[in-house]
Amino acid sequence: MDVLLVEDDNAIAEPLIRGLERQGFVVHRESTGLGGVAAFHSRPSVDIVLLDLGLPDIDGYEVCRRVRSDSTVPIIILTARGDEIDRVLGLELGADDYMVKPFGFRELIARINAVTRRSNAPGTTKEDIAKLTGDVTLDSRTRKVTVHDEDIQLTRKEFDLLALLASDAGATQTRETILEQVWDAHWYGPTKTLDVHVASLRKKLGDPTIIETVRGVGFRLRSNADNDSAS
Ligand code: CA
């Protein structure tokens, strides 16, 4: 697996690279934000981006935004800044996860495995393409989602979340189930992450009512049956 590490601090980067290489990862490291963006675009083999926020030129948020503008590659933000506002901003810009320094190497490997794990969210139907409510289609084979026949760009987690809800439209998925299936059985990040992803997904789908909040329980996809009874 190819890792792009964007980190300007040698004291953090060097042991990280050694550890990742020992685990069989191929690591390419950049020390600047612009270098990171350029390296990403010149290396199509990159499977995951590990991204520091405090970089000498453009910051990690901007790197995240630029990489995310045309790619769904998993991004984990490595941040020394612990406050909530930064973390939420990172997720809103399309990062899949973040880790606050200092972090344990094992935890990092677990997070890498969690975000790169090929989605095993259950398929939507026997066919690859499912027509969801409100003119949304979801193609589980190509992982493409369209709204009114227009492609929309979802991050890997957003797609997995939508696919999970779509696997049983109308049924409520509990927060625990979603975190377990879409993130990882060992997810112990903030549950706020889920809300941020739901908010972003609603925005991209252009209709906040497609995903309903079931207060205190979880979320459900509005089903076509709901539409029929409403009209
Ligand atoms: Ca830094």
Side-chain angles (χ1 to χ4, degrees):
M1 187 147 56
D2 277 24
V3 178
L4 172 60
L5 172 66
V6 186
E7 167 67 75
D8 61 326
D9 186 342
N10 288 337
I12 291 173
E14 283 165 8
L16 204 52
I17 292 169
R18 278 197 301 275
L20 287 167
E21 286 178 345
R22 264 202 301 274
Q23 297 279 325
F25 292 91
V26 176
V27 186
H28 179 84
R29 184 227 176 161
E30 291 288 334
S31 310
T32 64
L34 291 171
V37 174
F40 178 72
H41 286 121
S42 65
R43 303 176 72 87
S45 60
V46 169
D47 297 301
I48 182 164
V49 179
L50 303 180
L51 180 60
D52 179 29
L53 283 183
L55 294 165
D57 50 352
I58 57 172
D59 68 17
Y61 296 123
E62 183 58 23
V63 175
C64 187
R65 206 180 57 74
R66 292 191 193 185
V67 166
R68 190 53 87 221
S69 68
D70 58 6
S71 168
T72 60
V73 69
I75 300 173
I76 297 179
I77 287 179
L78 310 176
T79 175
R81 313 169 189 181
D83 45 54
E84 178 100 349
I85 203 94
D86 285 325
R87 291 180 274 170
V88 170
L89 181 58
L91 294 172
E92 280 173 348
L93 288 173
D96 295 278
D97 202 354
Y98 60 85
M99 298 191 63
V100 178
K101 299 172 196 172
F103 48 78
F105 188 69
R106 277 189 176 172
E107 186 187 353
L108 175 65
I109 297 296
R111 298 285 182 101
I112 290 176
N113 289 336
V115 299
T116 56
R117 190 178 49 138
R118 203 74 211 138
S119 164
N120 60 3
T124 48
T125 61
K126 289 278 183 286
E127 286 88 45
D128 288 329
I129 299 182
K131 179 118 177 51
L132 309 183
T133 189
D135 273 331
V136 180
T137 68
L138 180 148
D139 185 334
S140 53
R141 193 177 56 83
T142 61
R143 298 175 63 84
K144 262 174 52 171
V145 172
T146 66
V147 179
H148 301 299
D149 298 326
E150 302 250 349
D151 284 4
I152 59 167
Q153 293 287 327
L154 297 184
T155 68
R156 188 175 294 234
K157 291 297 171 201
E158 287 165 355
F159 181 90
D160 290 347
L161 173 57
L162 184 61
L164 175 65
L165 294 174
S167 67
D168 194 358
T172 300
Q173 303 286 349
T174 65
R175 301 178 70 91
E176 291 72 30
T177 302
I178 297 171
L179 288 171
E180 223 175 271
Q181 300 250 332
V182 176
W183 273 264
D184 185 77
H186 306 294
W187 172 259
Y188 41 98
T191 165
K192 174 105 184 143
T193 299
L194 174 54
D195 299 284
V196 172
H197 278 80
V198 168
S200 160
L201 196 49
R202 281 175 172 152
K203 203 149 103 190
K204 290 181 180 179
L205 294 174
D207 178 357
T209 68
I210 290 178
I211 298 171
E212 293 168 357
T213 303
V214 181
R215 200 176 274 273
V217 183
F219 299 93
R220 68 192 280 266
L221 194 74
R222 195 181 71 206
S223 74
N224 286 319
D226 295 346
N227 292 348
D228 293 346
S229 57
S231 58

